[in-house]
Amino acid sequence: MNNLETYQTFYFVGIGGIGMSALARYFNASGKKVLGYDKTNTKLTQLLMNEGIDIVFEDGIDERITSLQKENTLIIYTPAIKKLDILDYFNQNNFEVLKRAKVLGLITENTECIAVAGTHGKTTTSTLLSHLCKEADLPFSCFLGGISENFKSNFLYNGSAYSVVEADEYDRSFLSLSPDWAVVTSTDADHLDIYGDVSHIEEGFKQFAALVPEDKKLFVRKGIDIGRNHHTYAVNEKADYYSDNLRMDYDKIYFDFHTPTETVKDFVWDIPGIHNVENATVALAILNNLGVDFETLKKAIANFKGIKRRYTKHIYKNGKIYIDDYAHHPTEINAVVDSIRTFYPDKKLLVAFQPHLFSRTRDFADGFAQSLSKADELVLLDIYPARELQENFEGITSSWLLEKVQLEQKEVSALSDAFATIKGKDFDILLTVGAGNIDTLYDPIVEWLSAE
């Protein structure tokens, strides 16, 4: 293939994906012509179009495609898309077609690349790492899987010496990267449609870890067998780097941070949950190894605002609380609900959950049922299919999942009816959770509760 610099036009197939959009923003900010296709018009695609990127939502071959020249156009696609006429056209006409992860690897190969992998926690960890790098004014760029509340984007350019990227395990994409530093947050079972079973997932993460040149630049949550030497990190147990003495005071979380040689007391931030302190622990460990002083890191942690749809919390004058989260795996839902129960043990919790993918719902049905049974009341939305078809998963429906949930107050709702359903419920805390298009409920709910 040609060097990336030789391409003047970049066409993204699936441009509305969170990882794809970060790349699109990078090339757009570099002065290249950027255009693309996505199945659904969302808030994110609207933002991309406002930034000058041309996006279509119909799978057809129009003049914008036929006028492209293969000599100076690179096609970038997400492996989540299996069949598309647009993609077929580019392949049949011998355009250079590359996966997102391959292009990300090419962009970052001349940087000191910090890659964050894991079935849970990688978005928070990579976004926090980026925030710390920005506050320390390191020359870095980042490509994130979520929207930072601090810089309101999933992409930021502050130089090219370092790069911070999410290392996506789906379709083994992270094996296309060349990390100089790496984090492995978790290796739980997920994406079984790709890996088959947890042993193959674990092997994939070992292959990713093997890409890191130096043992001292690999950070792995304590308890994970990664197959080579590395630094460990943990919360409430000793490791190479660990945090403990967690306590809450007026909605702020305090913790102490330990390196192999020193203890730094009283870090404070607004992000709840033990799992988030765990993410902070490894981010602090890496920045400490990059030579950033703890006074700077303390200030940076204190002003970290989090990530959109990662425990986004609103407290209203009437006492009600609304939390929105991207969790779409039982382990993630448990982390969110357990945090709510820890800090608000006596409040009535209403959960509205949208399952993501028929295959994931099938593979983890019992786990979903157990985590959702921790609510006081459940509104279960129809399954968001994404790249899958219902006809290939006969009997896997939200009604089928609901039967497994051990609650008296539970029901299935279409997304179109969910807002009206929620408005009719009695609750102290409302949690909307899921990775599909349940986020379309966010603005109406905030507007409604703000007016109450």
Side-chain angles (χ1 to χ4, degrees), residues 311-312 321-325 333 336-337 340 349-353 379 422 427 429-433 438:
Y311 209 98
T312 300
I321 297 172
Y322 173 41
I323 297 169
D324 181 48
D325 197 273
I333 296 173
V336 175
V337 174
I340 293 172
L349 174 61
L350 169 64
V351 173
F353 173 57
V379 177
I422 289 168
F427 61 87
I429 301 176
L430 168 63
L431 169 65
T432 51
V433 62
I438 190 174

Side-chain angles (χ1 to χ4, degrees), residues 84-109:
L84 202 71
D85 289 344
I86 291 174
L87 195 55
D88 289 344
Y89 172 87
F90 288 127
N91 282 314
Q92 291 164 6
N93 286 276
N94 298 315
F95 281 77
E96 188 72 48
V97 180
L98 297 178
K99 287 183 181 179
R100 180 193 68 88
K102 176 64 175 178
V103 178
L104 184 59
L106 291 171
I107 292 172
T108 60
E109 66 181 4

Side-chain angles (χ1 to χ4, degrees), residues 278-297:
E278 193 172 77
N279 298 330
T281 300
V282 70
L284 291 170
I286 289 177
L287 268 292
N288 174 241
N289 276 270
L290 291 177
V292 180
D293 64 90
F294 283 117
E295 182 180 352
T296 298
L297 293 176

Side-chain angles (χ1 to χ4, degrees), residues 109-163:
E109 66 181 4
N110 294 321
T111 69
E112 188 89 353
C113 180
I114 306 169
V116 182
T119 47
H120 320 297
K122 59 181 174 287
T123 299
T124 299
T125 304
S126 56
T127 305
L128 177 56
L129 275 165
S130 301
H131 172 72
L132 297 181
C133 287
K134 184 175 186 296
E135 294 298 292
D137 199 26
L138 295 181
F140 83 105
S141 56
C142 64
F143 301 83
L144 307 174
I147 305 298
S148 163
E149 293 281 15
N150 286 87
F151 46 84
K152 306 301 181 185
S153 181
N154 55 347
F155 166 72
L156 184 69
Y157 181 84
N158 195 53
S160 58
Y162 299 94
S163 60

Side-chain angles (χ1 to χ4, degrees), residues 5 32 92-93 104 116 131 141 167 171 185 225 244 246 283 287 289 304 323 354 366 383 396 429 450-451:
E5 293 299 320
K32 304 294 186 178
Q92 291 164 6
N93 286 276
L104 184 59
V116 182
H131 172 72
S141 56
D171 200 40
T185 64
D225 176 14
D244 62 6
L246 278 63
L287 268 292
N289 276 270
F304 180 60
I323 297 169
Q354 182 185 49
D366 291 341
I383 297 170
I396 306 302
I429 301 176
S450 297

Side-chain angles (χ1 to χ4, degrees), residues 43 314 316 322 324 415-423 427 430 432 437-452:
K43 284 183 181 180
H314 301 271
Y316 298 94
Y322 173 41
D324 181 48
L415 177 63
S416 57
D417 300 327
F419 181 50
T421 300
I422 289 168
K423 288 177 71 175
F427 61 87
L430 168 63
T432 51
N437 56 356
I438 190 174
D439 63 330
T440 57
L441 296 177
Y442 178 82
D443 287 341
I445 289 173
V446 169
E447 184 177 344
W448 164 56
L449 289 175
S450 297
E452 282 285 290

